[in-house]
Amino acid sequence: MISEGMVAVVTGGAQGIGRSICVSLASRGVKVISLDVKDESNRITEKLMREFQPQSKAMHCDVSDPRQIDSVFSEIIENEGGIDILVNNAAVFSTTSFAETSYEDALKDWSYNIDTNARSTFLCSKKAAPSMIKKGHGEIVNIITNHVKRCLFPPSDSEHSYDASKYAQLSLNESMARELSGYGIRVNAVCPAATRSPMLTEFFDSIGMELNRETIGHVSGFASLLECEEVAEAVCAIMNWNESEPTGQAYLLMYSEDCAELENGHSERLSKQVM
């Protein structure tokens, strides 16, 4: 459970869902370290966090680079005496084509998505877990995507690398939970549907559409549009559950009511793995 004085690391905290998670944790008295490559935006996150928790800070880290992960996490653990909370939020998105994209560009696209979305989840968790084990507790929350709920969201014809990276995250969420629960570390995930974030806004700009519930409904079939703050509160709600609640779950968030529902504990309806 979240308590004042804990140390949290949030990847991709410079904007969007990541920034909202940073601020929500800081408002609960948690010392938050926001990791990102967007230094200017990350300093804004730092300022917002410090309104609640003056020791929170922004640090530069490219989570697609294993050497930077190793260095930054080692520094945090040494300086802070460990990590209590890890939110694997950093993500990128791109599209590619088996029919039209060159082999070289397809390889770049694959590495771009896999390294930032999946490998960073693996490596950041690997750096944080031993520290949590020493403490005897920990919370890891992975921010995945609604795409892994295939019963509701069928695959597109161009998001190959992105979706593969997110399914890798889903698998890690399950396997990490299985191993780490024996050490008092809880691992869960949220799978947000359309959320008013810079990533989604940029995508809609690229296809020449304004981002709103109507256009979301046209593209995905579901006229739902979450706010980043709602997702952040759902993440914090999961961290506040007691030990009786399950781990290794991946909760689909489509509507404001879904985010609020997690304040009451585990939701079988939201966690079903509809593949």
Side-chain angles (χ1 to χ4, degrees):
M1 299 181 70
I2 300 172
S3 63
E4 190 172 344
M6 282 185 166
V7 175
V9 176
V10 180
T11 68
Q15 61 185 18
I17 292 173
R19 172 180 286 173
S20 292
I21 293 171
C22 287
V23 174
S24 291
L25 285 170
S27 72
R28 290 166 166 84
V30 176
K31 182 176 181 179
V32 185
I33 295 94
S34 172
L35 305 184
D36 213 299
V37 294
K38 298 178 179 178
D39 296 327
E40 185 174 349
S41 295
N42 210 16
R43 283 193 291 273
I44 296 174
T45 297
E46 180 180 83
K47 181 179 179 181
L48 293 170
M49 293 190 297
R50 286 183 172 178
E51 293 178 7
F52 300 101
Q53 215 290 344
Q55 293 181 304
S56 293
K57 61 183 177 180
M59 292 183 68
H60 180 92
C61 182
D62 180 354
V63 295
S64 71
D65 184 345
R67 292 170 298 182
Q68 288 194 38
I69 291 174
D70 187 22
S71 175
V72 169
F73 272 78
S74 294
E75 179 181 345
I76 292 170
I77 291 168
E78 180 179 356
N79 292 341
E80 306 299 337
I83 296 170
D84 301 288
I85 295 169
L86 170 65
V87 182
N88 289 305
N89 167 77
V92 295
F93 172 85
S94 62
T95 58
T96 191
S97 168
F98 279 98
E100 299 177 2
T101 303
S102 70
Y103 181 85
E104 292 76 14
D105 286 344
L107 179 59
K108 291 178 183 177
D109 183 81
W110 177 261
S111 298
Y112 178 63
N113 285 273
I114 293 293
D115 292 354
T116 301
N117 302 347
R119 189 173 68 178
S120 74
T121 295
F122 178 83
L123 293 177
C124 291
S125 300
K126 181 64 186 75
K127 290 294 293 186
S131 167
M132 294 178 176
I133 290 170
K134 287 182 180 179
K135 286 173 169 280
H137 69 265
E139 292 282 344
I140 298 176
V141 178
N142 301 305
I143 312 302
I144 308 183
T145 177
N146 61 304
H147 292 201
V148 300
K149 306 292 188 175
R150 283 300 191 215
C151 183
L152 294 176
F153 300 94
S156 79
D157 59 0
S158 62
E159 296 166 356
H160 312 295
S161 302
Y162 176 78
D163 282 359
S165 72
K166 289 298 180 175
Y167 269 100
Q169 265 193 300
L170 178 64
S171 179
L172 284 167
N173 186 68
E174 296 168 343
S175 61
M176 284 196 298
R178 186 173 182 86
E179 177 186 3
L180 296 177
S181 62
Y183 297 96
I185 301 169
R186 297 176 49 78
V187 183
N188 283 296
V190 295
C191 303
T195 305
R196 197 188 307 275
S197 65
M199 179 186 292
L200 188 61
T201 301
E202 289 171 9
F203 172 74
F204 269 77
D205 287 345
S206 72
I207 60 176
M209 298 177 70
E210 181 182 352
L211 175 60
N212 55 49
R213 284 186 173 83
E214 182 179 350
T215 55
I216 286 290
H218 177 74
V219 171
S220 72
F222 296 94
S224 65
L225 182 60
L226 295 170
E227 301 299 332
C228 293
E229 294 79 7
E230 294 175 313
V231 177
E233 286 302 304
V235 169
C236 289
I238 291 172
M239 293 181 190
N240 273 326
W241 292 349
N242 61 42
E243 294 179 357
S244 68
E245 302 287 3
T247 62
Q249 306 299 304
Y251 297 97
L252 174 63
L253 305 177
M254 293 178 60
Y255 306 101
S256 300
E257 294 78 8
D258 299 335
C259 298
E261 185 173 335
L262 294 180
E263 294 179 5
N264 300 317
H266 169 71
S267 168
E268 185 67 21
R269 178 181 70 86
L270 299 177
S271 69
K272 288 180 179 178
Q273 297 301 324
V274 283
M275 308 298 283

